[in-house]
């Protein structure tokens, strides 16, 4: 119908991040115009940045650029408000005028919140929208961010959102969205990703995949987000099994990294859906659950809900074709492609029960998903009431 065509041709796009993408690109960092003289170098509490050689290379580039730095190595998976405030305090105390975020999703997500809290009064939750957040606007301009992605999963290196947990209230909420929080410079160098273990390569790759599949399912999909998302989906589906099988397969790493970074754009053009809200609820209650693993657990049943209601059959068919079923002609073919890919990456056996979930939690999770990140429910291709949302959790439970 006429209306649908018009909607699909509308979009707003603003992505001011200078992106250096490709193998060896970390070597170009020092030659860039950096946004300050003293950086807070934000890394995880783990060893990944050191093991991959990324830390040494980054430090070398900062020195070449004549930039001083202070290291803050406190970020963990499913980062908390407390860790963000701690890092922001370190930036303030050391007079840092910009942030270099070196890491995977947890570090890149945290950087958005650290950038805001290094220059603004009060607590992060004063500025969070949703849940118990007070939803206040930022008073002062955040610190500029330079991002260096060490995993292919979040797309956070080029967008202005970070997901942070408040553990005492079981809230895991996206923070950000203002133009000043978009990183000024991003480096995506797949060579730095070769040491990511197979299991995490799979989890992160599926997170990147779902950013794009959710954009395709979203009622806000448009001609540009769809074009980009299908390109990303095709690359991830084809190359993720190879990257999981052999971490040093650089071509596979490059293609998956491409699919992940592209999602940083598609998510700005079109929102993801409630699949992400639902996973955030899961890891709010079970913080030991990796985000990508949680998404994998619910993905088939989440898609099936909309397929059974014929909410966006055409989109599912396009995705199935991009995922290696060229003759796909029905929405269910997407489920076939998705299950096949999960098997090829060895993640088809993931169980909620292994992470301490009980089936009885389904409604609690459904309610939490809407209360903390209800905005994403508005992007679903059709209505998803709490009861139906709980049923998706129940059907996905193993």
């Amino acid at each position: 119908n006429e209306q649908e065509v018009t909607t699909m041709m509308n979009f707003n796009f603003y992505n001011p991040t200078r992106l250096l993408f490709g193998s060896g690109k970390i070597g170009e960092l020092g030659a860039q115009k950096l946004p300050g003289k003293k950086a807070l170098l934000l890394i995880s509490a783990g060893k990944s940045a050191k093991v991959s050689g990324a830390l040494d290379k980054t430090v070398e580039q900062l020195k070449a650029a004549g930039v001083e730095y202070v290291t803050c190595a406190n970020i963990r998976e499913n980062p908390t408000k407390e860790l963000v405030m701690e890092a922001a305090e370190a930036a303030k105390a050391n007079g840092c005028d910009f942030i270099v975020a070196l890491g995977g999703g947890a570090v890149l997500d945290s950087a958005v919140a650290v950038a805001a809290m290094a220059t603004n009064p009060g607590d992060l939750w004063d500025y969070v929208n949703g849940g118990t957040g007070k939803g206040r606007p930022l008073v002062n301009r955040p610190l500029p961010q330079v991002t260096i992605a060490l995993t292919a999963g979040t797309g956070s290196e080029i967008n202005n959102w970070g997901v942070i947990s408040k553990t005492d209230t079981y809230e895991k909420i996206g923070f950000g969205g203002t133009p000043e929080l978009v990183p000024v410079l991003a480096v995506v160098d797949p060579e730095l990703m070769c040491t990511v273990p197979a299991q995490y390569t799979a989890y992160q790759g599926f997170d990147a995949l779902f950013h794009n599949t959710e954009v395709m399912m979203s009622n806000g999909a448009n001609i540009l987000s769809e074009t980009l998302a299908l390109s990303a989906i095709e690359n991830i589906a084809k190359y993720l099994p190879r990257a999981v099988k052999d971490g040093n397969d650089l071509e596979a790493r490059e293609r998956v990294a491409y699919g992940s970074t592209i999602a940083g754009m598609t998510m700005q053009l079109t929102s993801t859906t409630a699949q992400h809200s639902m996973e955030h609820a899961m890891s709010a209650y079970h913080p030991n659950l990796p985000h990508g693993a949680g998404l994998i657990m619910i993905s088939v049943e989440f898609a099936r809900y909309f397929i059974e209601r014929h909410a966006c059959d055409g989109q599912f068919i396009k995705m199935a074709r991009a995922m290696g079923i060229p003759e796909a002609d029905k929405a269910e073919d997407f489920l076939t492609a998705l299950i096949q890919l999960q098997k090829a990456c060895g993640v088809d056996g993931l169980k909620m029960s292994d992470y301490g979930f009980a089936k009885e939690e389904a409604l609690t999770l459904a309610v939490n998903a809407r209360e903390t990140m209800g905005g994403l429910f508005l992007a679903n291709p059709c209505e998803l009431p709490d009861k139906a949302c709980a049923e998706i959790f129940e059907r996905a439970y193993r």
Side-chain angles (χ1 to χ4, degrees):
N1 75 31
E2 201 63 32
Q3 181 56 40
E4 194 178 353
V5 175
T6 321
T7 311
M8 293 289 282
M9 294 303 296
N10 272 338
F11 58 83
N12 298 340
F13 189 49
Y14 175 63
N15 202 126
T17 310
R18 180 184 293 277
L19 173 62
L20 310 181
F21 183 97
S23 294
K25 286 288 183 181
I26 188 69
E28 296 177 21
L29 177 64
Q32 306 304 308
K33 186 178 181 299
L34 296 175
K37 288 282 164 228
K38 188 172 187 183
L40 181 79
L41 179 53
L42 191 65
I43 59 175
S44 80
K47 301 187 184 76
S48 55
K50 296 182 188 76
V51 173
S52 64
L55 185 58
D56 290 346
K57 288 176 181 168
T58 301
V59 165
E60 191 184 303
Q61 292 296 313
L62 291 177
K63 285 179 178 163
V67 166
E68 281 184 73
Y69 69 94
V70 176
T71 307
C72 177
N74 73 335
I75 305 301
R76 292 175 173 79
E77 197 164 47
N78 293 319
T80 63
K81 174 178 85 75
E82 288 73 22
L83 295 179
V84 164
M85 295 305 293
E86 207 176 274
E89 201 42 60
K92 274 186 206 168
N94 290 285
C96 298
D97 53 7
F98 75 111
I99 289 169
V100 174
L102 173 69
V107 172
L108 300 176
D109 276 20
S110 300
V112 174
V114 174
M117 294 318 298
T119 59
N120 280 280
D123 182 79
L124 177 65
W125 241 247
D126 294 339
Y127 307 100
V128 162
N129 287 297
T132 61
K134 292 182 182 155
R136 292 178 186 155
L138 294 174
V139 188
N140 303 317
R141 196 179 177 83
L143 292 183
Q145 303 162 68
V146 172
T147 56
I148 304 160
L150 296 188
T151 63
T154 67
S156 301
E157 61 272 12
I158 58 168
N159 74 27
N160 50 1
W161 288 96
V163 180
I164 308 297
S165 296
K166 186 169 180 287
T167 48
D168 59 335
T169 48
Y170 300 107
E171 292 175 298
K172 187 180 174 190
I173 304 184
F175 163 80
T178 58
E180 304 77 30
L181 285 167
V182 179
V184 293
L185 173 66
V187 179
V188 180
D189 183 341
E191 281 181 6
L192 303 178
M193 301 175 183
C194 290
T195 53
V196 177
Q199 190 182 35
Y200 274 84
T201 298
Y203 295 166
Q204 291 152 4
F206 272 97
D207 185 17
L209 178 78
F210 296 135
H211 287 154
N212 291 293
T213 59
E214 290 177 53
V215 158
M216 285 291 293
M217 293 159 66
S218 167
N219 56 29
N222 58 64
I223 189 166
L224 182 56
S225 66
E226 180 169 301
T227 305
L228 292 171
L230 284 171
S231 166
I233 288 165
E234 185 175 347
N235 277 279
I236 294 168
K238 189 170 176 187
Y239 290 94
L240 183 59
R242 274 175 50 179
V244 171
K245 191 169 160 226
D246 174 11
N248 291 310
D249 181 339
L250 194 55
E251 186 190 12
R253 290 283 185 195
E254 287 168 343
R255 297 296 187 126
V256 176
Y258 163 80
S260 173
T261 297
I262 284 292
M265 297 177 198
T266 63
M267 288 187 285
Q268 290 184 54
L269 285 156
T270 300
S271 164
T272 53
T273 65
Q275 183 176 346
H276 261 73
S277 309
M278 289 168 71
E279 198 297 315
H280 291 329
M282 291 167 77
S283 43
Y285 281 91
H286 299 271
N288 61 330
L289 175 68
H291 176 56
L295 288 168
I296 292 165
M297 290 170 185
I298 58 173
S299 58
V300 172
E301 294 305 332
F302 183 81
R304 196 190 310 277
Y305 175 84
F306 297 105
I307 287 168
E308 284 173 352
R309 280 151 192 79
H310 300 288
C312 55
D313 286 3
Q315 300 301 86
F316 283 117
I317 292 168
K318 286 176 199 168
M319 290 193 283
R321 288 176 181 168
M323 289 172 77
I325 306 180
E327 68 291 350
D329 60 358
K330 56 187 185 301
E332 286 79 3
D333 292 334
F334 173 73
L335 295 181
T336 305
L338 180 57
I339 291 165
Q340 211 170 303
L341 184 61
Q342 292 182 3
K343 283 183 176 150
C345 295
V347 293
D348 53 316
L350 285 171
K351 294 188 179 86
M352 286 193 212
S353 54
D354 287 346
Y355 288 88
F357 285 83
K359 203 171 186 177
E360 296 69 41
E361 284 178 74
L363 191 60
T364 305
L365 296 175
V367 170
N368 178 286
R370 195 183 302 274
E371 281 178 356
T372 57
M373 293 199 64
L376 297 185
F377 280 79
L378 304 176
N380 287 340
C382 71
E383 195 62 40
L384 176 61
D386 288 348
K387 188 172 177 292
C389 185
E391 279 166 10
I392 291 173
F393 282 123
E394 284 166 6
R395 284 204 292 270
Y397 186 84
R398 291 212 288 272

